[in-house]
Amino acid sequence: MMTSLLTLFMIGFGGLMIGSFAGRMAFTYYQHRLEALYLICGGMLIGVIMFELIPESIRTYPFWALVAGVSLSVFVCVFTDHAIHGMFRDKSYLPVFAFVLALIFHNIPVGIALGMTLGEGIGISLLIALFIHHLPEGVALYILMRMNGVKRIFVIIGGSFVTIVLTVAAWFGMVSSQSILINGIFLGIAIGSLGYVALHEMIGQVVGKVLKRELYLYTCLGILLLSLYLQVAHEIF
């Protein structure tokens, strides 16, 4: 069990870090257009929600559980946003915090589902799927942190927290029966929180700073890139 969980942690963390390295390259050579990077990353998150989370969630979990999770996450995000923004003047880290929290909620049902399959060891195809799954998350994590002036070390810290939660959830999935209801609510929370981060903390920060055609162009580009990425990733299997 411990070997499988350790392997799961290393592959998940490695995917986030390699994705972060790709994000670093994009940020280094394209930081003169920060608004475009915001929109592309926001579009990528929308693509994850549209092409991965929502279709899989609707097929697997009760619709009302997903709605409850989405509603709860949006309420918490809006309440926290207003409360914290009113208390602190330095708000640069808040979009990063919201994004890491969204990734954590997203990885809880993913980890539980992975843990349910680890009874006799972890397969290579499952490891590759996990690695590929974390690449775009690592890209968005690095770019969002650097855009908001957060030090690079926090990319590693944030990635570690996300992967630790994934591994703990996998352990929980290994030792207990899977709850479709609870997983549905958690996945709904992931959809709502990622959607809030994409629309409010990324795309919303650029509205009014660029032309509308650029807003639509770069957002759609992010969605297209994620769609192509998923198609290529699925061909591996």
Side-chain angles (χ1 to χ4, degrees):
M1 178 186 294
M2 292 304 299
T3 301
S4 295
L5 291 176
L6 181 60
T7 303
L8 194 68
F9 176 86
M10 296 302 296
I11 294 297
F13 184 74
L16 284 173
M17 291 301 99
I18 292 178
S20 297
F21 179 77
R24 178 182 179 181
M25 299 297 291
F27 183 81
T28 300
Y29 295 105
Y30 208 55
Q31 60 179 312
H32 60 288
R33 291 302 309 272
L34 294 183
E35 293 85 1
L37 287 176
Y38 259 108
L39 294 174
I40 291 173
C41 285
M44 290 177 65
L45 289 186
I46 292 175
V48 170
I49 296 170
M50 290 174 53
F51 302 124
E52 188 176 57
L53 293 184
I54 291 180
E56 181 65 25
S57 301
I58 292 177
R59 288 194 300 265
T60 308
Y61 303 109
F63 178 75
W64 70 269
L66 297 173
V67 172
V70 170
S71 302
L72 176 62
S73 67
V74 172
F75 172 79
V76 171
C77 286
V78 172
F79 176 80
T80 304
D81 183 64
H82 282 80
I84 295 180
H85 280 193
M87 294 172 59
F88 299 98
R89 293 182 179 180
D90 182 12
K91 301 178 289 187
S92 62
Y93 62 90
L94 295 181
V96 177
F97 177 79
F99 182 58
V100 171
L101 192 62
L103 289 183
I104 287 175
F105 278 116
H106 170 45
N107 277 276
I108 289 176
V110 171
I112 293 176
L114 287 172
M116 295 293 292
T117 68
L118 298 182
E120 299 180 358
I122 184 169
I124 186 64
S125 62
L126 196 60
L127 291 176
I128 295 175
L130 176 65
F131 179 80
I132 293 175
H133 174 80
H134 276 185
L135 287 175
E137 295 178 354
V139 172
L141 178 64
Y142 182 89
I143 292 178
L144 187 60
M145 282 192 172
R146 296 301 296 148
M147 283 179 175
N148 288 278
V150 179
K151 295 181 180 179
R152 292 188 181 95
I153 186 63
F154 287 101
V155 176
I156 299 176
I157 295 174
S160 299
F161 270 111
V162 171
T163 316
I164 288 172
V165 170
L166 172 75
T167 307
V168 172
W171 171 83
F172 182 80
M174 294 175 69
V175 301
S176 64
S177 58
Q178 189 177 20
S179 172
I180 294 179
L181 176 62
I182 294 176
N183 280 357
I185 293 176
F186 271 118
L187 208 50
I189 291 174
I191 292 172
S193 53
L194 285 175
Y196 183 85
V197 170
L199 296 176
H200 180 73
E201 301 292 354
M202 291 186 176
I203 297 175
Q205 298 297 323
V206 181
V207 173
K209 299 179 181 179
V210 298
L211 298 175
K212 285 187 177 181
R213 64 172 178 267
E214 292 182 316
L215 180 73
Y216 298 135
L217 173 64
Y218 288 113
T219 302
C220 291
L221 178 60
I223 296 174
L224 178 61
L225 288 174
L226 198 283
S227 175
L228 294 175
Y229 166 81
L230 289 178
Q231 291 183 21
V232 172
H234 291 162
E235 288 295 327
I236 296 178
F237 310 104

